[in-house]
């Protein structure tokens, strides 16, 4: 089977970051099925890849009209809120955490119909107890599992640690030495600049160059990496909730939507498509942070 005949099922598809990765690798999906309930993410996915086959809610998977034996790759970036160290850490005691089991049920179903099907599972860096729990149950359900923790700082200008559980061996990517300055626009729209009112909310004691949730940067003279993008960053500065900011013309501004997608290594032609898809900046920021 050639890579151009691959059929892919993407669970919790979001705006199709997984398909963008395949596209960048030169892997063309013959059929690409997407399970996602966020309407803005689905709108983005269709703008980027109009041939995406939308399936809807992952919990309704038994009703999907799919030739299960034809699926060659199934991916699952299951919701992180229940597992992340930034959340309440309830694991599968959280309703969102239970979707881990839904994902495994679907993957087992595919493996039953096509034992050669590959899988790729992704989630945030989490406490060891959760990481071992997910690894053990994935092995019990799907067989041999390759697990790896990758920091996207190796291939991007952003610190972003993620675990991957796969049916195939994965190596650490080479360090491409990408710096924050490489993704910055030379000018910024006035709407991105931070107001005096927002600045007054800053907890100065937590502010340090390149640390916490804030980075001071100038085009051509920047800290090395951005801190990890989050879906809530669109809300702006509030108390101790910082995000990466740029010093430009003596003022502070937040990163533009284009700069955030560049941090996520989205190709420029895909960013152009997203910015012209009729989706608000608020929703684009949220999708980018979730990706």
């Amino acid at each position: 089977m050639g890579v151009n005949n691959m059929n892919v099922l993407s669970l919790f598809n979001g705006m199709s970051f997984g398909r963008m990765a395949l596209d960048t690798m030169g892997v063309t999906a013959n059929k690409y099925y997407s399970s996602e309930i966020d309407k803005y993410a689905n709108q983005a996915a269709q703008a980027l890849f109009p041939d995406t086959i939308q399936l809807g809610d992952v919990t309704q998977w038994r009703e999907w009209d799919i030739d299960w034996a034809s699926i060659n790759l199934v991916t699952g970036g299951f919701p992180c809120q229940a597992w992340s160290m930034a959340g309440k850490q309830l694991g599968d005691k959280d309703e969102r955490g239970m979707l881990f089991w839904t994902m495994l049920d679907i993957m087992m179903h595919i493996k039953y119909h096509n034992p050669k099907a590959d899988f790729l599972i992704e989630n945030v860096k989490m406490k060891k107890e959760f990481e071992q729990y997910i690894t053990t149950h994935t092995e019990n359900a799907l067989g041999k599992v390759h697990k790896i923790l990758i920091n996207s700082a190796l291939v991007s200008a952003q610190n972003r640690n993620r675990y991957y559980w796969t049916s195939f061996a994965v190596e650490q990517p080479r360090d491409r030495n990408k710096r924050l300055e490489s993704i910055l626009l030379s000018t910024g729209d006035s709407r991105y600049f931070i107001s005096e009112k927002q600045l007054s909310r800053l907890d100065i004691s937590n502010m340090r160059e390149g640390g916490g949730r804030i980075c001071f940067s100038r085009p051509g003279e920047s800290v090395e990496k951005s801190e990890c993008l989050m879906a809530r960053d669109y809300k702006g500065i509030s108390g101790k909730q910082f995000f990466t900011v740029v010093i430009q013309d003596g003022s502070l501004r937040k990163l533009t939507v284009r700069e955030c997608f560049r941090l996520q290594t989205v190709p420029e032609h895909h960013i152009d498509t997203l910015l012209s898809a009729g989706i608000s900046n608020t929703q684009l920021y949220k999708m980018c942070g979730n990706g």
Side-chain angles (χ1 to χ4, degrees), residues 9-14 18 35-36 58 74-81 83 96 99-100 103 107 120-124 162-165 290-291:
L9 170 59
S10 174
L11 308 175
F12 319 105
N13 182 64
S35 174
E36 177 58 58
V58 71
V74 55
T75 63
F78 61 105
C80 66
Q81 295 91 338
W83 309 92
R96 294 165 298 184
L99 292 174
F100 164 68
M103 178 188 68
M107 290 182 171
L120 183 151
I121 299 170
E122 175 269 344
N123 213 287
V124 297
R162 291 296 185 270
Y163 273 113
Y164 296 87
W165 295 265
N290 280 328

Side-chain angles (χ1 to χ4, degrees), residues 39-69:
K39 67 177 183 179
Y40 299 106
N42 285 333
Q43 183 180 344
Q46 291 300 141
L48 291 165
F49 304 104
D51 63 342
T52 299
I53 303 170
Q54 298 285 358
L55 300 172
D57 190 341
V58 71
T59 64
Q60 305 302 310
W61 67 273
R62 295 186 184 277
E63 301 175 11
W64 293 347
D65 183 17
I66 290 181
D67 176 6
W68 296 101

Side-chain angles (χ1 to χ4, degrees), residues 80-112:
C80 66
Q81 295 91 338
W83 309 92
S84 172
M85 288 185 282
K88 295 182 179 180
Q89 303 186 66
L90 295 177
D92 54 11
K93 294 181 177 63
D94 184 310
E95 183 177 357
R96 294 165 298 184
M98 285 298 295
L99 292 174
F100 164 68
W101 293 103
T102 303
M103 178 188 68
L104 284 190
D105 284 343
I106 295 171
M107 290 182 171
M108 284 191 294
H109 190 71
I110 290 172
K111 293 286 282 185
Y112 174 80

